[in-house]
Amino acid sequence: MLKLTYTENSFQLERLAQFVEDWVTARVILSLRAGWHICVEPSTASFLLPADLPGIDRLEAEARREDSEIISLCAGDAEYVEVSLHGTWVSAGTDKDEGVFVVSMSDRTEFFLFKLWQEAQLGASCVKE
């Protein structure tokens, strides 16, 4: 599964060897025991990847190969491709912009998307320095 963490200033992507249902169940139980508010709902999450990133074409082919409507890609502009995922949003409330989004796809697509995101992060950090 892929876990996307959205905070006020950043976005982090992780690949976990866990089922979405198991992760969400554990999160709900933790929230109930701790007395925290929790909102769990089906949702869509998006992020950008550089359009010139090597492998974007292969990711588009992988997205077409997926059985369902879990992942889609579209050109945002000349510089970026928007990756949209359909999964589960978990946050402290329905009006929160910060939270965690989890989604499950084929292992191959998850791995490839995660590697592309890592490469994009490396490229972005090199540009900043």
Side-chain angles (χ1 to χ4, degrees):
M1 105 177 172
L2 293 177
K3 176 182 155 196
L4 295 76
T5 305
Y6 290 88
T7 63
E8 184 177 329
N9 301 8
S10 69
F11 156 76
Q12 187 70 28
L13 178 64
E14 298 173 73
R15 187 165 186 257
L16 304 175
Q18 195 172 9
F19 292 110
V20 169
E21 295 83 359
D22 294 342
W23 185 88
V24 170
T25 300
R27 193 66 170 244
V28 168
I29 291 170
L30 174 65
S31 295
L32 289 172
R33 289 182 179 163
W36 300 332
H37 293 279
I38 189 167
C39 175
V40 178
E41 60 186 340
S43 187
T44 303
S46 299
F47 60 94
L48 300 174
L49 288 175
D52 62 351
L53 190 64
I56 286 289
D57 293 340
R58 185 168 166 212
L59 179 61
E60 289 173 345
E62 289 295 325
R64 284 191 299 273
R65 222 182 304 232
E66 281 293 323
D67 299 359
S68 63
E69 304 267 333
I70 295 174
I71 180 172
S72 62
L73 282 75
C74 74
D77 59 24
E79 295 181 26
Y80 292 98
V81 171
E82 181 179 17
V83 178
S84 296
L85 303 169
H86 300 280
T88 304
W89 175 250
V90 180
S91 66
T94 56
D95 61 343
K96 301 291 182 184
D97 293 336
E98 297 177 356
V100 177
F101 179 86
V102 289
V103 62
S104 182
M105 296 175 276
S106 69
D107 286 341
R108 182 177 170 164
T109 304
E110 284 180 8
F111 179 78
F112 194 62
L113 179 56
F114 180 67
K115 287 298 178 189
L116 284 178
W117 181 79
Q118 284 182 318
E119 288 177 30
Q121 298 310 299
L122 288 174
S125 66
C126 290
V127 170
K128 288 180 185 177
E129 294 174 0

